[in-house]
Amino acid sequence: MSTSCYCCDERAIGQGDHVPPKALFQSGTFATLRPIIVPSCTTHNQAKSSADEYLKFILTSVAEGVPKDVRGGTIRSVIRHAKNPETSLHRFGMERTQEGLTIGKTAPVDEDILDEALGKVARGIYYHHHRGLRKLTGTIVVHPIFLGIVNDAPPEIHKTFENICKLMDEDMRSSQVHGEHQDVFKYQVFDEFDHIRINMVFYRSKSVLVIKRQSD
Ligand SMILES: [Zn+2]
């Protein structure tokens, strides 16, 4: 019996995909540490996607904009950030303009590509976490917390953002965190009765929350 893809029913081909993408790790990492590799079909093979490089670009670009004292507790910092409209997004190296979210006023963030790349990591991690017995399919919502929030966002958006940050913060403090290379990537998976929740942290401080509602 052939294995199927980590996120669809197609037959898996080739060597499978690294989760997260190999591009995020220093070269030589896997000489000593085991990578997470999931079976993938032609369509979902990350090697064919430019989204991985883009993800790396965004994560490392933002990393430069994050002060050292924020790195240890980005989530808390982001909560404070969300509460205080006077605080500038510049701390995160980000700015929201009419053209969209930008890094240092130069490169607009393509949120679709970013969502796609982060969504793939979440689906791969979910499959791996359940040893290939479950797949995360259908609609998911990606919250790239590390991008921060627009200062002049409506109060309800600030509230939602704040709740998301709190939820993830509580998870990280109260439940086991997985990952063999936690300097680069760590994660948590929660199967709740009405939703699936995946917390991911890149480079110790870039938090992303992915949610799948069971009704979607
Ligand atoms: Zn597939």
Side-chain angles (χ1 to χ4, degrees), residues 41-104:
C41 71
T42 315
T43 308
H44 296 113
N45 191 325
Q46 289 183 334
K48 296 208 167 95
S49 164
S50 58
D52 295 353
E53 276 304 324
Y54 189 73
L55 176 61
K56 183 183 186 181
F57 166 71
I58 294 297
L59 286 170
T60 52
S61 300
V62 175
E64 288 169 8
V66 180
K68 270 190 190 141
D69 61 333
V70 177
R71 288 185 193 197
T74 298
I75 297 170
R76 279 173 196 288
S77 169
V78 170
I79 290 170
R80 278 201 305 275
H81 185 64
K83 281 179 179 165
N84 181 6
E86 300 304 315
T87 310
S88 168
L89 268 179
H90 286 142
R91 289 183 67 193
F92 296 88
M94 310 295 296
E95 187 171 356
R96 187 79 75 160
T97 68
Q98 283 187 327
E99 289 81 51
L101 208 49
T102 65
I103 297 170

Side-chain angles (χ1 to χ4, degrees), residues 5-10 40-44:
C5 172
Y6 70 97
C7 67
C8 76
D9 291 329
E10 291 298 310
S40 66
C41 71
T42 315
T43 308
H44 296 113

Side-chain angles (χ1 to χ4, degrees), residues 4-183:
S4 64
C5 172
Y6 70 97
C7 67
C8 76
D9 291 329
E10 291 298 310
R11 192 165 60 92
I13 51 123
Q15 304 292 312
D17 273 3
H18 278 250
V19 183
K22 208 174 174 180
L24 300 191
F25 297 88
Q26 273 193 316
S27 62
T29 298
F30 300 116
T32 51
L33 290 165
R34 213 156 28 110
I36 295 173
I37 295 177
V38 297
S40 66
C41 71
T42 315
T43 308
H44 296 113
N45 191 325
Q46 289 183 334
K48 296 208 167 95
S49 164
S50 58
D52 295 353
E53 276 304 324
Y54 189 73
L55 176 61
K56 183 183 186 181
F57 166 71
I58 294 297
L59 286 170
T60 52
S61 300
V62 175
E64 288 169 8
V66 180
K68 270 190 190 141
D69 61 333
V70 177
R71 288 185 193 197
T74 298
I75 297 170
R76 279 173 196 288
S77 169
V78 170
I79 290 170
R80 278 201 305 275
H81 185 64
K83 281 179 179 165
N84 181 6
E86 300 304 315
T87 310
S88 168
L89 268 179
H90 286 142
R91 289 183 67 193
F92 296 88
M94 310 295 296
E95 187 171 356
R96 187 79 75 160
T97 68
Q98 283 187 327
E99 289 81 51
L101 208 49
T102 65
I103 297 170
K105 295 183 181 177
T106 53
V109 173
D110 188 324
E111 294 178 65
D112 289 341
I113 298 182
L114 190 61
D115 274 14
E116 181 196 325
L118 292 170
K120 273 188 167 183
V121 177
R123 293 181 202 273
I125 279 302
Y126 190 76
Y127 179 95
H128 168 78
H129 187 74
H130 289 298
R131 296 178 172 77
L133 298 175
R134 291 189 192 180
K135 295 181 187 182
L136 188 64
T137 57
T139 306
I140 55 176
V141 179
V142 176
H143 298 284
I145 293 172
F146 70 92
L147 289 182
I149 188 171
V150 210
N151 288 339
D152 57 0
E156 63 270 23
I157 301 292
H158 275 278
K159 191 72 200 163
T160 303
F161 185 73
E162 199 179 306
N163 288 338
I164 285 167
C165 294
K166 274 183 189 160
L167 181 65
M168 186 161 169
D169 192 23
E170 279 168 24
D171 282 345
M172 297 302 285
R173 277 184 289 139
S174 62
S175 301
Q176 191 186 353
V177 180
H178 305 281
E180 287 192 33
H181 325 94
Q182 298 201 359
D183 282 348

